[in-house]
Amino acid sequence: MASGVKPRVKVPKSAAAGETVTIKSLISHKMESGQRKDKEGNLIPRSIINRFTVDFNGQSVLDMTMEAAISTNPYVQFEAIVPEAGDFVFTWYDDDGSVYDTKKSVKIA
């Protein structure tokens, strides 16, 4: 994982089958737009998280494209239905080719 890049997610540990839950995610990333200049006047290369996906038990829940205008440390909150016990897999894609992922399990209460 690149220096300083840290994904975090908050998912309920359990839910009733069919329940809609709120999921929160945040990734610490500088999100450089490519439009600023350094002290010498050179453009700082673009470096952003350009895509964020979430799957539950292999099924796509969210597939989001991010553009240069998104803020530093992007925070995403969304709702998802939990049909059964399983795993949410969160994946962030960086302009430099790096991929960051994390997994959270949900049990049926």
Side-chain angles (χ1 to χ4, degrees), residues 13-105:
K13 292 183 178 165
S14 65
E19 181 179 355
T20 299
V21 298
T22 299
I23 298 173
K24 300 174 183 179
S25 73
L26 176 102
I27 186 162
S28 298
H29 191 282
K30 63 186 175 182
M31 301 295 278
E32 187 58 60
S33 70
Q35 298 178 20
R36 292 185 327 121
K37 294 183 179 181
D38 62 18
K39 291 184 240 177
E40 289 78 39
N42 301 311
L43 277 177
I44 299 170
R46 179 179 129 148
S47 175
I48 69 167
I49 298 295
N50 58 51
R51 185 173 175 216
F52 173 54
T53 64
V54 181
D55 292 341
F56 181 75
N57 288 347
Q59 297 293 314
S60 178
V61 174
L62 179 72
D63 191 337
M64 180 175 153
T65 300
M66 297 185 189
E67 301 294 340
I70 198 158
S71 69
T72 299
N73 305 326
Y75 170 82
V76 177
Q77 178 177 314
F78 61 96
E79 293 183 340
I81 296 172
V82 179
E84 61 197 11
D87 298 321
F88 282 99
V89 177
F90 302 82
T91 309
W92 294 263
Y93 299 85
D94 199 319
D95 275 348
D96 69 6
S98 298
V99 177
Y100 315 103
D101 59 9
T102 191
K103 178 170 62 169
K104 293 287 182 177
S105 298

